[in-house]
């Protein structure tokens, strides 16, 4: 009988709904590891500090990064 | 005389050197805001917990995300 590994993922379910890049104050990307076999992407909302898990496969991340880049070049 | 805004950026300088996606345990993306006028990308290293600031304009981020996606599909 193999030892069962303790799995400690932060996200239980992920949201595939679009997230407005202006609505989050932090985006955390946690690569797959021994403690959790999948990549986790956690957005912290500005409004209430709520943390929302996003699907790395969805377009959300791509769009977020694009917006983040755009915002930066706009300001500099 | 305009009020000077208090600027509280986390990063003082950014590294443009390539970062091995397996070497970090967390990547934080903080959008531009009133407290800091630029996007900040902070990688936390696995080894020692050291935080390293990355340049959002560099290819580092793109490659990181690509690797993260690849790793995920490999495991699922």
């Amino acid at each position: 009988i193999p030892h069962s590994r303790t799995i400690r993922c932060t996200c239980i379910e992920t949201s595939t709904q679009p997230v407005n890049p202006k609505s989050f104050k932090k985006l955390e990307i946690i690569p797959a590891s021994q403690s959790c076999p999948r990549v986790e992407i956690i957005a912290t909302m500005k409004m209430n500090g709520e943390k929302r898990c996003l699907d790395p496969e969805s377009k959300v991340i791509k769009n977020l990064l694009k917006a983040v880049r755009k915002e930066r070049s706009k300001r500099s």
Side-chain angles (χ1 to χ4, degrees), chain A:
Chain A
I1 301 165
H3 276 287
S4 68
R5 277 212 315 231
T6 310
I7 301 291
R8 290 178 186 277
C9 294
T10 307
C11 298
I12 298 166
E13 54 178 16
T14 56
S15 164
T16 50
Q17 290 197 325
V19 173
N20 184 341
K22 299 200 171 180
S23 66
F24 73 93
K25 62 176 171 191
K26 195 167 78 173
L27 187 74
E28 287 168 278
I29 302 173
I30 301 163
S33 68
Q34 282 204 323
S35 51
C36 179
R38 59 176 191 268
V39 181
E40 299 196 289
I41 297 184
I42 305 161
T44 306
M45 298 294 131
K46 261 183 202 160
M47 278 275 280
N48 48 10
E50 186 206 329
K51 295 192 172 199
R52 196 178 296 179
C53 291
L54 307 178
D55 184 356
E57 300 291 326
S58 72
K59 283 186 186 169
V60 180
I61 303 309
K62 244 183 175 173
N63 290 343
L64 277 179
L65 289 176
K66 209 186 284 174
V68 151
R69 262 194 221 107
K70 209 185 281 172
E71 196 175 335
R72 195 197 185 209
S73 58
K74 204 176 66 194
R75 286 179 189 239
S76 60

